[in-house]
Amino acid sequence: MADLNNLLTPLFLNEKEIRKIIELMFFSYRDFTSGPDRVLEQIKFGRAHHRVIYFVGKRNNLTIKELLKILQITKQSLSRVLNQLVKEKYIILSIGEDKRTKKLTLSKRGYDLEKKLSNIQINKIYNVIKNFEESDINSFKKVLYKMIDINNQRKFDEIN
Amino acid sequence: MADLNNLLTPLFLNEKEIRKIIELMFFSYRDFTSGPDRVLEQIKFGRAHHRVIYFVGKRNNLTIKELLKILQITKQSLSRVLNQLVKEKYIILSIGEDKRTKKLTLSKRGYDLEKKLSNIQINKIYNVIKNFEESDINSFKKVLYKMIDINNQRKFDEIN
DNA sequence: TATTTAGGTCAGCCATATTGACTTAATTAT
DNA sequence: ATAATTAAGTCAATATGGCTGACCTAAATA
């Protein structure tokens, strides 16, 4: 690694400045998830449920395998959450063309919950970025994108 | 809330673009924590231990109360993690001037672990931001900062 | 026909968080 | 001087979200 405290290093590459970014990531992510968390608590769901309905909502007819690839958790971890969402009719299962696969779709109920939860985050982000120049937001997105591991950048590209 | 799909809304304020930011936050934060997580696993610690030694390392002689304010967890949650760190001599406790308080300091052992863990994140961030213009990084930090809840922005300012 | 793939399930474990109740010792306010 | 508040600690119970390992079925593919 380069010597981050070298006098020739630009100021913004100093360890102190980088540690600020570490803290910005920690604090911003925590506040970013806290809104939906409070709503989820009331219906006895957790953050994991939000993630599932978020990505199912984004891509209807997602298979379990595709969902696991996005979430990067084990199928055992997913199963508890997914079974609850299916049992409580937020998500509808159907058989795929390949009959081994199952397709996941949001019901109206699931769609409404997805909207309710994601809108909290969408509004929060909207209220932040509306006060910036488009160029600031583009920089923000570019940098955040590069913070993702290279193989997961590809996954992000696939779903977008 | 404004209509995010209104034709007059700038493109970068569209719901679709905002959802990309949601996903960037999710993927980047996950990859941001995965490095330290793997190291912590080997010594039977978790992410919570990293947070504690991170902030103790940042501000030596931090009190329990101040630490709780930063982490925003209950003292019961902190106690398990902190007791382990003290028992295994990563953190040294001492009595404050106000004898009700305790001051937390990293031992050499704790300092070394802090460096080892944080350097993973520092290097990751360094390798990302070195390829950007300083203005991009400034935009990135400004936007991320505003993503923090207003009262927590103050806490960030206090420690920086 | 054999192998691989998609999905499911059971059991047990661990980490991180919570709430509530209660204690001790020290400081501060009345 | 006494009462109230504060900092810290502890016990117990609970929830969530992850994990590993083992094992199963049914469908697709080699």
Side-chain angles (χ1 to χ4, degrees), chain A residues 1 4 15 17 19 23 30-31 54 58 70-71 114-115 123-124 126 136 139 141 149 152 160, chain B residues 1 4 15 17 19 23 30-31 54 58 70-71 114-115 123 126 136 139 141 149 152 160:
Chain A
M1 168 179 131
L4 300 189
E15 175 167 336
E17 288 304 307
R19 281 187 180 265
E23 292 157 37
R30 191 178 57 186
D31 290 343
Y54 180 91
K58 179 166 181 115
I70 293 169
L71 297 175
E114 199 287 323
K115 277 283 171 232
N123 283 329
K124 176 172 273 181
Y126 177 80
D136 286 317
S139 297
K141 287 199 275 192
D149 288 350
N152 290 332
N160 276 294
Chain B
M1 168 179 132
L4 300 187
E15 175 167 337
E17 288 303 307
R19 283 188 178 264
E23 292 158 37
R30 191 177 57 185
D31 290 344
Y54 179 92
K58 178 166 182 115
I70 293 168
L71 297 176
E114 199 287 323
K115 276 282 170 234
N123 283 327
Y126 177 79
D136 286 319
S139 297
K141 288 199 275 192
D149 287 351
N152 291 332
N160 277 294

mmCIF file of all heavy atoms in Angstrom, chain A residues 1 4 15 17 19 23 30-31 54 58 70-71 114-115 123-124 126 136 139 141 149 152 160, chain B residues 1 4 15 17 19 23 30-31 54 58 70-71 114-115 123 126 136 139 141 149 152 160:
data_model
loop_
_atom_site.group_PDB
_atom_site.id
_atom_site.type_symbol
_atom_site.label_atom_id
_atom_site.label_comp_id
_atom_site.label_asym_id
_atom_site.label_seq_id
_atom_site.Cartn_x
_atom_site.Cartn_y
_atom_site.Cartn_z
ATOM 1 N N MET A 1 0.821 -1.199 0.000
ATOM 2 C CA MET A 1 0.000 0.000 0.000
ATOM 3 C C MET A 1 0.863 1.262 0.000
ATOM 4 O O MET A 1 1.915 1.313 0.597
ATOM 5 C CB MET A 1 -0.884 -0.031 1.249
ATOM 6 C CG MET A 1 -1.583 1.261 1.551
ATOM 7 S SD MET A 1 -2.620 1.114 3.022
ATOM 8 C CE MET A 1 -2.097 2.568 3.916
ATOM 9 N N LEU A 4 0.059 6.624 2.997
ATOM 10 C CA LEU A 4 -1.040 7.582 2.938
ATOM 11 C C LEU A 4 -0.708 8.875 3.660
ATOM 12 O O LEU A 4 -1.423 9.854 3.547
ATOM 13 C CB LEU A 4 -2.299 6.979 3.533
ATOM 14 C CG LEU A 4 -2.810 5.714 2.852
ATOM 15 C CD1 LEU A 4 -4.162 5.342 3.398
ATOM 16 C CD2 LEU A 4 -2.882 5.904 1.345
ATOM 17 N N GLU A 15 -4.958 9.274 5.351
ATOM 18 C CA GLU A 15 -5.684 8.296 6.172
ATOM 19 C C GLU A 15 -6.837 8.940 6.931
ATOM 20 O O GLU A 15 -7.917 8.353 7.037
ATOM 21 C CB GLU A 15 -4.729 7.592 7.144
ATOM 22 C CG GLU A 15 -5.497 6.676 8.077
ATOM 23 C CD GLU A 15 -4.636 5.710 8.867
ATOM 24 O OE1 GLU A 15 -3.515 5.403 8.428
ATOM 25 O OE2 GLU A 15 -5.125 5.248 9.919
ATOM 26 N N GLU A 17 -8.701 11.445 6.159
ATOM 27 C CA GLU A 17 -9.835 11.685 5.255
ATOM 28 C C GLU A 17 -10.513 10.378 4.877
ATOM 29 O O GLU A 17 -11.741 10.312 4.749
ATOM 30 C CB GLU A 17 -9.358 12.432 3.999
ATOM 31 C CG GLU A 17 -8.999 13.895 4.245
ATOM 32 C CD GLU A 17 -10.147 14.690 4.858
ATOM 33 O OE1 GLU A 17 -11.252 14.672 4.295
ATOM 34 O OE2 GLU A 17 -9.942 15.321 5.917
ATOM 35 N N ARG A 19 -10.586 7.736 6.740
ATOM 36 C CA ARG A 19 -11.351 7.286 7.922
ATOM 37 C C ARG A 19 -12.689 8.024 8.030
ATOM 38 O O ARG A 19 -13.675 7.465 8.497
ATOM 39 C CB ARG A 19 -10.519 7.466 9.190
ATOM 40 C CG ARG A 19 -9.494 6.345 9.370
ATOM 41 C CD ARG A 19 -8.788 6.419 10.702
ATOM 42 N NE ARG A 19 -7.826 5.345 10.866
ATOM 43 C CZ ARG A 19 -8.099 4.188 11.497
ATOM 44 N NH1 ARG A 19 -9.285 3.971 12.020
ATOM 45 N NH2 ARG A 19 -7.180 3.244 11.580
ATOM 46 N N GLU A 23 -16.472 6.303 8.318
ATOM 47 C CA GLU A 23 -17.533 6.696 9.245
ATOM 48 C C GLU A 23 -18.790 7.168 8.514
ATOM 49 O O GLU A 23 -19.917 6.893 8.939
ATOM 50 C CB GLU A 23 -17.023 7.781 10.198
ATOM 51 C CG GLU A 23 -15.967 7.233 11.145
ATOM 52 C CD GLU A 23 -15.049 8.294 11.717
ATOM 53 O OE1 GLU A 23 -15.516 9.407 12.002
ATOM 54 O OE2 GLU A 23 -13.839 8.001 11.870
ATOM 55 N N ARG A 30 -26.565 3.165 8.346
ATOM 56 C CA ARG A 30 -27.434 2.919 9.489
ATOM 57 C C ARG A 30 -28.709 3.749 9.395
ATOM 58 O O ARG A 30 -29.823 3.242 9.588
ATOM 59 C CB ARG A 30 -26.679 3.247 10.785
ATOM 60 C CG ARG A 30 -27.403 2.767 12.015
ATOM 61 C CD ARG A 30 -26.619 3.057 13.265
ATOM 62 N NE ARG A 30 -26.311 4.476 13.393
ATOM 63 C CZ ARG A 30 -25.534 4.990 14.355
ATOM 64 N NH1 ARG A 30 -24.978 4.194 15.239
ATOM 65 N NH2 ARG A 30 -25.320 6.274 14.417
ATOM 66 N N ASP A 31 -28.579 5.020 9.072
ATOM 67 C CA ASP A 31 -29.759 5.876 8.974
ATOM 68 C C ASP A 31 -30.598 5.550 7.742
ATOM 69 O O ASP A 31 -31.806 5.765 7.729
ATOM 70 C CB ASP A 31 -29.335 7.353 8.959
ATOM 71 C CG ASP A 31 -28.803 7.789 10.324
ATOM 72 O OD1 ASP A 31 -29.058 7.077 11.310
ATOM 73 O OD2 ASP A 31 -28.130 8.831 10.394
ATOM 74 N N TYR A 54 -38.039 -6.201 -2.154
ATOM 75 C CA TYR A 54 -37.439 -5.173 -3.018
ATOM 76 C C TYR A 54 -37.015 -5.778 -4.352
ATOM 77 O O TYR A 54 -37.368 -5.276 -5.421
ATOM 78 C CB TYR A 54 -36.233 -4.501 -2.343
ATOM 79 C CG TYR A 54 -35.612 -3.447 -3.237
ATOM 80 C CD1 TYR A 54 -36.034 -2.125 -3.172
ATOM 81 C CD2 TYR A 54 -34.664 -3.791 -4.197
ATOM 82 C CE1 TYR A 54 -35.515 -1.162 -4.029
ATOM 83 C CE2 TYR A 54 -34.135 -2.836 -5.063
ATOM 84 C CZ TYR A 54 -34.563 -1.523 -4.971
ATOM 85 O OH TYR A 54 -34.062 -0.585 -5.834
ATOM 86 N N LYS A 58 -38.571 -5.580 -8.113
ATOM 87 C CA LYS A 58 -37.786 -5.020 -9.211
ATOM 88 C C LYS A 58 -37.833 -5.892 -10.455
ATOM 89 O O LYS A 58 -37.887 -5.397 -11.578
ATOM 90 C CB LYS A 58 -36.333 -4.863 -8.758
ATOM 91 C CG LYS A 58 -35.433 -4.314 -9.836
ATOM 92 C CD LYS A 58 -34.108 -3.847 -9.304
ATOM 93 C CE LYS A 58 -33.280 -3.290 -10.430
ATOM 94 N NZ LYS A 58 -33.013 -1.859 -10.276
ATOM 95 N N ILE A 70 -28.267 -12.568 -5.922
ATOM 96 C CA ILE A 70 -28.260 -11.146 -5.592
ATOM 97 C C ILE A 70 -27.982 -10.924 -4.103
ATOM 98 O O ILE A 70 -27.152 -10.112 -3.720
ATOM 99 C CB ILE A 70 -29.613 -10.492 -5.965
ATOM 100 C CG1 ILE A 70 -29.802 -10.488 -7.478
ATOM 101 C CG2 ILE A 70 -29.699 -9.068 -5.410
ATOM 102 C CD1 ILE A 70 -31.216 -10.118 -7.928
ATOM 103 N N LEU A 71 -28.700 -11.698 -3.282
ATOM 104 C CA LEU A 71 -28.616 -11.477 -1.833
ATOM 105 C C LEU A 71 -27.341 -12.050 -1.226
ATOM 106 O O LEU A 71 -26.891 -11.611 -0.171
ATOM 107 C CB LEU A 71 -29.835 -12.098 -1.139
ATOM 108 C CG LEU A 71 -31.197 -11.514 -1.504
ATOM 109 C CD1 LEU A 71 -32.309 -12.306 -0.829
ATOM 110 C CD2 LEU A 71 -31.291 -10.041 -1.100
ATOM 111 N N GLU A 114 -43.952 -3.185 -0.453
ATOM 112 C CA GLU A 114 -42.692 -2.771 -1.082
ATOM 113 C C GLU A 114 -42.670 -1.259 -1.257
ATOM 114 O O GLU A 114 -41.696 -0.598 -0.907
ATOM 115 C CB GLU A 114 -42.533 -3.478 -2.429
ATOM 116 C CG GLU A 114 -41.103 -3.513 -2.967
ATOM 117 C CD GLU A 114 -40.608 -2.180 -3.490
ATOM 118 O OE1 GLU A 114 -41.398 -1.431 -4.102
ATOM 119 O OE2 GLU A 114 -39.416 -1.856 -3.276
ATOM 120 N N LYS A 115 -43.757 -0.735 -1.790
ATOM 121 C CA LYS A 115 -43.864 0.716 -1.991
ATOM 122 C C LYS A 115 -43.714 1.470 -0.686
ATOM 123 O O LYS A 115 -42.976 2.452 -0.594
ATOM 124 C CB LYS A 115 -45.242 1.071 -2.588
ATOM 125 C CG LYS A 115 -45.316 0.912 -4.083
ATOM 126 C CD LYS A 115 -44.636 2.070 -4.808
ATOM 127 C CE LYS A 115 -44.521 1.807 -6.304
ATOM 128 N NZ LYS A 115 -43.137 1.993 -6.779
ATOM 129 N N ASN A 123 -37.784 8.704 -0.622
ATOM 130 C CA ASN A 123 -38.004 10.091 -0.194
ATOM 131 C C ASN A 123 -36.776 10.667 0.484
ATOM 132 O O ASN A 123 -36.419 11.825 0.268
ATOM 133 C CB ASN A 123 -39.194 10.161 0.762
ATOM 134 C CG ASN A 123 -40.511 10.057 0.025
ATOM 135 O OD1 ASN A 123 -40.619 10.493 -1.117
ATOM 136 N ND2 ASN A 123 -41.501 9.448 0.664
ATOM 137 N N LYS A 124 -36.166 9.838 1.337
ATOM 138 C CA LYS A 124 -34.964 10.313 2.020
ATOM 139 C C LYS A 124 -33.895 10.703 0.999
ATOM 140 O O LYS A 124 -33.311 11.790 1.083
ATOM 141 C CB LYS A 124 -34.442 9.218 2.968
ATOM 142 C CG LYS A 124 -33.144 9.576 3.653
ATOM 143 C CD LYS A 124 -32.767 8.541 4.720
ATOM 144 C CE LYS A 124 -33.426 8.879 6.043
ATOM 145 N NZ LYS A 124 -33.098 7.944 7.124
ATOM 146 N N TYR A 126 -34.350 11.346 -2.204
ATOM 147 C CA TYR A 126 -34.840 12.456 -3.026
ATOM 148 C C TYR A 126 -34.572 13.792 -2.338
ATOM 149 O O TYR A 126 -34.082 14.744 -2.958
ATOM 150 C CB TYR A 126 -36.341 12.297 -3.300
ATOM 151 C CG TYR A 126 -36.929 13.452 -4.076
ATOM 152 C CD1 TYR A 126 -36.766 13.536 -5.456
ATOM 153 C CD2 TYR A 126 -37.638 14.456 -3.427
ATOM 154 C CE1 TYR A 126 -37.296 14.609 -6.178
ATOM 155 C CE2 TYR A 126 -38.170 15.527 -4.133
ATOM 156 C CZ TYR A 126 -37.995 15.606 -5.510
ATOM 157 O OH TYR A 126 -38.508 16.649 -6.207
ATOM 158 N N ASP A 136 -22.785 16.484 -8.946
ATOM 159 C CA ASP A 136 -22.450 15.933 -7.629
ATOM 160 C C ASP A 136 -23.012 14.523 -7.475
ATOM 161 O O ASP A 136 -22.354 13.622 -6.971
ATOM 162 C CB ASP A 136 -23.029 16.816 -6.513
ATOM 163 C CG ASP A 136 -22.270 18.121 -6.342
ATOM 164 O OD1 ASP A 136 -21.022 18.087 -6.382
ATOM 165 O OD2 ASP A 136 -22.922 19.167 -6.159
ATOM 166 N N SER A 139 -21.094 12.050 -9.507
ATOM 167 C CA SER A 139 -19.847 11.696 -8.820
ATOM 168 C C SER A 139 -20.133 10.717 -7.683
ATOM 169 O O SER A 139 -19.442 9.705 -7.521
ATOM 170 C CB SER A 139 -19.176 12.941 -8.244
ATOM 171 O OG SER A 139 -18.819 13.824 -9.284
ATOM 172 N N LYS A 141 -22.568 8.633 -7.331
ATOM 173 C CA LYS A 141 -22.913 7.301 -7.830
ATOM 174 C C LYS A 141 -21.699 6.568 -8.403
ATOM 175 O O LYS A 141 -21.519 5.374 -8.168
ATOM 176 C CB LYS A 141 -24.017 7.409 -8.892
ATOM 177 C CG LYS A 141 -25.373 7.745 -8.284
ATOM 178 C CD LYS A 141 -26.533 7.404 -9.200
ATOM 179 C CE LYS A 141 -26.801 8.511 -10.180
ATOM 180 N NZ LYS A 141 -28.095 8.333 -10.884
ATOM 181 N N ASP A 149 -17.362 -4.565 -4.905
ATOM 182 C CA ASP A 149 -16.394 -5.516 -5.456
ATOM 183 C C ASP A 149 -16.679 -5.728 -6.936
ATOM 184 O O ASP A 149 -17.835 -5.770 -7.363
ATOM 185 C CB ASP A 149 -16.485 -6.865 -4.728
ATOM 186 C CG ASP A 149 -15.911 -6.792 -3.315
ATOM 187 O OD1 ASP A 149 -15.277 -5.775 -2.985
ATOM 188 O OD2 ASP A 149 -16.108 -7.754 -2.556
ATOM 189 N N ASN A 152 -19.320 -8.051 -8.060
ATOM 190 C CA ASN A 152 -20.668 -7.604 -7.707
ATOM 191 C C ASN A 152 -21.098 -6.380 -8.506
ATOM 192 O O ASN A 152 -22.290 -6.147 -8.682
ATOM 193 C CB ASN A 152 -20.754 -7.334 -6.204
ATOM 194 C CG ASN A 152 -20.682 -8.607 -5.385
ATOM 195 O OD1 ASN A 152 -21.075 -9.682 -5.867
ATOM 196 N ND2 ASN A 152 -20.184 -8.514 -4.171
ATOM 197 N N ASN A 160 -29.576 -3.877 -13.622
ATOM 198 C CA ASN A 160 -29.932 -2.501 -13.978
ATOM 199 C C ASN A 160 -29.761 -2.231 -15.479
ATOM 200 O O ASN A 160 -29.579 -3.125 -16.254
ATOM 201 C CB ASN A 160 -29.103 -1.523 -13.135
ATOM 202 C CG ASN A 160 -29.749 -1.309 -11.774
ATOM 203 O OD1 ASN A 160 -30.824 -0.755 -11.671
ATOM 204 N ND2 ASN A 160 -29.091 -1.782 -10.735
ATOM 205 N N MET B 1 -44.774 14.458 -1.183
ATOM 206 C CA MET B 1 -43.600 14.192 -2.015
ATOM 207 C C MET B 1 -43.859 14.605 -3.451
ATOM 208 O O MET B 1 -44.950 14.493 -3.969
ATOM 209 C CB MET B 1 -43.290 12.692 -1.941
ATOM 210 C CG MET B 1 -42.293 12.206 -2.963
ATOM 211 S SD MET B 1 -41.989 10.456 -2.758
ATOM 212 C CE MET B 1 -42.165 9.920 -4.474
ATOM 213 N N LEU B 4 -42.087 11.955 -8.776
ATOM 214 C CA LEU B 4 -40.751 11.652 -9.275
ATOM 215 C C LEU B 4 -40.756 11.231 -10.731
ATOM 216 O O LEU B 4 -39.715 11.136 -11.357
ATOM 217 C CB LEU B 4 -40.110 10.556 -8.436
ATOM 218 C CG LEU B 4 -39.948 10.871 -6.958
ATOM 219 C CD1 LEU B 4 -39.144 9.789 -6.274
ATOM 220 C CD2 LEU B 4 -39.267 12.209 -6.762
ATOM 221 N N GLU B 15 -37.488 8.064 -10.085
ATOM 222 C CA GLU B 15 -37.519 6.935 -9.153
ATOM 223 C C GLU B 15 -36.523 5.847 -9.540
ATOM 224 O O GLU B 15 -35.852 5.281 -8.680
ATOM 225 C CB GLU B 15 -38.931 6.345 -9.056
ATOM 226 C CG GLU B 15 -38.945 5.103 -8.187
ATOM 227 C CD GLU B 15 -40.324 4.626 -7.763
ATOM 228 O OE1 GLU B 15 -41.269 5.425 -7.750
ATOM 229 O OE2 GLU B 15 -40.427 3.426 -7.433
ATOM 230 N N GLU B 17 -33.680 6.068 -11.012
ATOM 231 C CA GLU B 17 -32.317 6.467 -10.650
ATOM 232 C C GLU B 17 -32.112 6.423 -9.142
ATOM 233 O O GLU B 17 -31.033 6.059 -8.665
ATOM 234 C CB GLU B 17 -32.020 7.876 -11.186
ATOM 235 C CG GLU B 17 -31.851 7.948 -12.693
ATOM 236 C CD GLU B 17 -30.750 7.011 -13.212
ATOM 237 O OE1 GLU B 17 -29.620 7.088 -12.701
ATOM 238 O OE2 GLU B 17 -31.038 6.195 -14.118
ATOM 239 N N ARG B 19 -33.692 4.427 -7.146
ATOM 240 C CA ARG B 19 -33.601 3.006 -6.771
ATOM 241 C C ARG B 19 -32.197 2.462 -7.026
ATOM 242 O O ARG B 19 -31.724 1.580 -6.316
ATOM 243 C CB ARG B 19 -34.653 2.178 -7.505
ATOM 244 C CG ARG B 19 -36.046 2.337 -6.890
ATOM 245 C CD ARG B 19 -37.058 1.381 -7.488
ATOM 246 N NE ARG B 19 -38.365 1.511 -6.858
ATOM 247 C CZ ARG B 19 -38.795 0.727 -5.861
ATOM 248 N NH1 ARG B 19 -38.035 -0.246 -5.412
ATOM 249 N NH2 ARG B 19 -39.986 0.934 -5.324
ATOM 250 N N GLU B 23 -29.722 0.540 -4.283
ATOM 251 C CA GLU B 23 -28.958 -0.691 -4.519
ATOM 252 C C GLU B 23 -27.464 -0.467 -4.363
ATOM 253 O O GLU B 23 -26.743 -1.331 -3.841
ATOM 254 C CB GLU B 23 -29.294 -1.248 -5.907
ATOM 255 C CG GLU B 23 -30.724 -1.752 -5.968
ATOM 256 C CD GLU B 23 -31.286 -1.807 -7.386
ATOM 257 O OE1 GLU B 23 -30.522 -2.143 -8.304
ATOM 258 O OE2 GLU B 23 -32.490 -1.516 -7.554
ATOM 259 N N ARG B 30 -22.279 -3.766 1.870
ATOM 260 C CA ARG B 30 -21.997 -5.189 2.107
ATOM 261 C C ARG B 30 -20.540 -5.510 1.793
ATOM 262 O O ARG B 30 -19.846 -6.166 2.575
ATOM 263 C CB ARG B 30 -22.935 -6.047 1.250
ATOM 264 C CG ARG B 30 -22.907 -7.500 1.625
ATOM 265 C CD ARG B 30 -23.895 -8.295 0.809
ATOM 266 N NE ARG B 30 -23.656 -8.167 -0.613
ATOM 267 C CZ ARG B 30 -24.432 -8.688 -1.559
ATOM 268 N NH1 ARG B 30 -25.524 -9.344 -1.220
ATOM 269 N NH2 ARG B 30 -24.137 -8.549 -2.823
ATOM 270 N N ASP B 31 -20.057 -5.036 0.658
ATOM 271 C CA ASP B 31 -18.676 -5.325 0.286
ATOM 272 C C ASP B 31 -17.680 -4.556 1.145
ATOM 273 O O ASP B 31 -16.546 -4.990 1.353
ATOM 274 C CB ASP B 31 -18.451 -5.011 -1.207
ATOM 275 C CG ASP B 31 -19.178 -6.004 -2.104
ATOM 276 O OD1 ASP B 31 -19.574 -7.076 -1.601
ATOM 277 O OD2 ASP B 31 -19.363 -5.713 -3.291
ATOM 278 N N TYR B 54 -12.657 0.423 16.683
ATOM 279 C CA TYR B 54 -12.484 1.543 15.767
ATOM 280 C C TYR B 54 -12.651 2.872 16.496
ATOM 281 O O TYR B 54 -11.800 3.748 16.415
ATOM 282 C CB TYR B 54 -13.472 1.459 14.592
ATOM 283 C CG TYR B 54 -13.299 2.639 13.648
ATOM 284 C CD1 TYR B 54 -12.448 2.540 12.552
ATOM 285 C CD2 TYR B 54 -13.938 3.854 13.878
ATOM 286 C CE1 TYR B 54 -12.246 3.627 11.709
ATOM 287 C CE2 TYR B 54 -13.740 4.937 13.048
ATOM 288 C CZ TYR B 54 -12.902 4.822 11.956
ATOM 289 O OH TYR B 54 -12.689 5.900 11.139
ATOM 290 N N LYS B 58 -10.010 5.714 17.726
ATOM 291 C CA LYS B 58 -10.104 7.079 17.223
ATOM 292 C C LYS B 58 -10.015 8.113 18.335
ATOM 293 O O LYS B 58 -9.417 9.164 18.171
ATOM 294 C CB LYS B 58 -11.437 7.246 16.486
ATOM 295 C CG LYS B 58 -11.653 8.646 15.971
ATOM 296 C CD LYS B 58 -12.781 8.710 14.978
ATOM 297 C CE LYS B 58 -12.927 10.118 14.447
ATOM 298 N NZ LYS B 58 -12.651 10.222 13.024
ATOM 299 N N ILE B 70 -22.335 7.076 20.218
ATOM 300 C CA ILE B 70 -21.889 6.920 18.835
ATOM 301 C C ILE B 70 -22.522 5.684 18.189
ATOM 302 O O ILE B 70 -23.034 5.735 17.079
ATOM 303 C CB ILE B 70 -20.346 6.794 18.771
ATOM 304 C CG1 ILE B 70 -19.689 8.114 19.194
ATOM 305 C CG2 ILE B 70 -19.888 6.389 17.365
ATOM 306 C CD1 ILE B 70 -18.193 8.000 19.434
ATOM 307 N N LEU B 71 -22.480 4.584 18.918
ATOM 308 C CA LEU B 71 -22.935 3.311 18.342
ATOM 309 C C LEU B 71 -24.453 3.198 18.300
ATOM 310 O O LEU B 71 -25.006 2.449 17.495
ATOM 311 C CB LEU B 71 -22.358 2.138 19.146
ATOM 312 C CG LEU B 71 -20.834 1.993 19.148
ATOM 313 C CD1 LEU B 71 -20.420 0.851 20.078
ATOM 314 C CD2 LEU B 71 -20.306 1.739 17.734
ATOM 315 N N GLU B 114 -6.957 -3.181 15.454
ATOM 316 C CA GLU B 114 -7.671 -2.068 14.824
ATOM 317 C C GLU B 114 -7.035 -1.750 13.476
ATOM 318 O O GLU B 114 -7.736 -1.626 12.462
ATOM 319 C CB GLU B 114 -7.647 -0.843 15.746
ATOM 320 C CG GLU B 114 -8.701 0.213 15.437
ATOM 321 C CD GLU B 114 -8.443 1.034 14.183
ATOM 322 O OE1 GLU B 114 -7.266 1.354 13.908
ATOM 323 O OE2 GLU B 114 -9.395 1.349 13.456
ATOM 324 N N LYS B 115 -5.725 -1.639 13.483
ATOM 325 C CA LYS B 115 -4.993 -1.341 12.241
ATOM 326 C C LYS B 115 -5.264 -2.399 11.183
ATOM 327 O O LYS B 115 -5.520 -2.098 10.018
ATOM 328 C CB LYS B 115 -3.485 -1.295 12.518
ATOM 329 C CG LYS B 115 -2.984 0.034 13.036
ATOM 330 C CD LYS B 115 -2.857 1.062 11.914
ATOM 331 C CE LYS B 115 -2.593 2.458 12.454
ATOM 332 N NZ LYS B 115 -3.540 3.455 11.972
ATOM 333 N N ASN B 123 -7.542 0.586 2.613
ATOM 334 C CA ASN B 123 -6.954 0.242 1.320
ATOM 335 C C ASN B 123 -7.999 0.154 0.223
ATOM 336 O O ASN B 123 -7.776 0.598 -0.900
ATOM 337 C CB ASN B 123 -6.210 -1.095 1.418
ATOM 338 C CG ASN B 123 -4.876 -0.943 2.112
ATOM 339 O OD1 ASN B 123 -4.227 0.092 1.998
ATOM 340 N ND2 ASN B 123 -4.480 -1.970 2.849
ATOM 341 N N TYR B 126 -8.943 3.645 -0.555
ATOM 342 C CA TYR B 126 -7.818 4.305 -1.230
ATOM 343 C C TYR B 126 -7.747 3.912 -2.696
ATOM 344 O O TYR B 126 -7.579 4.753 -3.578
ATOM 345 C CB TYR B 126 -6.503 3.956 -0.517
ATOM 346 C CG TYR B 126 -5.285 4.543 -1.199
ATOM 347 C CD1 TYR B 126 -4.944 5.881 -1.012
ATOM 348 C CD2 TYR B 126 -4.490 3.772 -2.045
ATOM 349 C CE1 TYR B 126 -3.842 6.435 -1.639
ATOM 350 C CE2 TYR B 126 -3.385 4.315 -2.687
ATOM 351 C CZ TYR B 126 -3.066 5.648 -2.485
ATOM 352 O OH TYR B 126 -1.981 6.193 -3.117
ATOM 353 N N ASP B 136 -14.677 14.853 -7.435
ATOM 354 C CA ASP B 136 -15.611 13.731 -7.354
ATOM 355 C C ASP B 136 -15.723 13.233 -5.916
ATOM 356 O O ASP B 136 -16.819 12.935 -5.426
ATOM 357 C CB ASP B 136 -15.114 12.568 -8.231
ATOM 358 C CG ASP B 136 -15.313 12.821 -9.720
ATOM 359 O OD1 ASP B 136 -16.387 13.347 -10.086
ATOM 360 O OD2 ASP B 136 -14.401 12.503 -10.504
ATOM 361 N N SER B 139 -17.688 15.601 -3.802
ATOM 362 C CA SER B 139 -19.121 15.425 -4.043
ATOM 363 C C SER B 139 -19.624 14.179 -3.330
ATOM 364 O O SER B 139 -20.667 14.193 -2.659
ATOM 365 C CB SER B 139 -19.387 15.280 -5.542
ATOM 366 O OG SER B 139 -19.014 16.460 -6.225
ATOM 367 N N LYS B 141 -18.445 12.702 -0.699
ATOM 368 C CA LYS B 141 -18.517 12.888 0.752
ATOM 369 C C LYS B 141 -19.659 13.806 1.159
ATOM 370 O O LYS B 141 -20.358 13.550 2.144
ATOM 371 C CB LYS B 141 -17.173 13.431 1.268
ATOM 372 C CG LYS B 141 -16.074 12.377 1.249
ATOM 373 C CD LYS B 141 -14.914 12.742 2.157
ATOM 374 C CE LYS B 141 -13.926 13.626 1.474
ATOM 375 N NZ LYS B 141 -12.657 13.769 2.242
ATOM 376 N N ASP B 149 -28.889 11.212 9.090
ATOM 377 C CA ASP B 149 -29.920 11.998 9.774
ATOM 378 C C ASP B 149 -29.289 13.224 10.420
ATOM 379 O O ASP B 149 -28.177 13.166 10.939
ATOM 380 C CB ASP B 149 -30.604 11.158 10.861
ATOM 381 C CG ASP B 149 -31.543 10.107 10.275
ATOM 382 O OD1 ASP B 149 -31.796 10.143 9.056
ATOM 383 O OD2 ASP B 149 -32.007 9.248 11.037
ATOM 384 N N ASN B 152 -27.558 12.979 13.672
ATOM 385 C CA ASN B 152 -26.343 12.174 13.616
ATOM 386 C C ASN B 152 -25.227 12.853 12.828
ATOM 387 O O ASN B 152 -24.052 12.556 13.029
ATOM 388 C CB ASN B 152 -26.646 10.791 13.042
ATOM 389 C CG ASN B 152 -27.483 9.961 13.998
ATOM 390 O OD1 ASN B 152 -27.410 10.149 15.213
ATOM 391 N ND2 ASN B 152 -28.279 9.049 13.456
ATOM 392 N N ASN B 160 -15.286 14.451 14.552
ATOM 393 C CA ASN B 160 -14.328 14.772 13.484
ATOM 394 C C ASN B 160 -13.884 16.246 13.533
ATOM 395 O O ASN B 160 -14.165 16.948 14.468
ATOM 396 C CB ASN B 160 -14.923 14.429 12.123
ATOM 397 C CG ASN B 160 -14.744 12.953 11.812
ATOM 398 O OD1 ASN B 160 -13.632 12.483 11.633
ATOM 399 N ND2 ASN B 160 -15.839 12.220 11.771
#
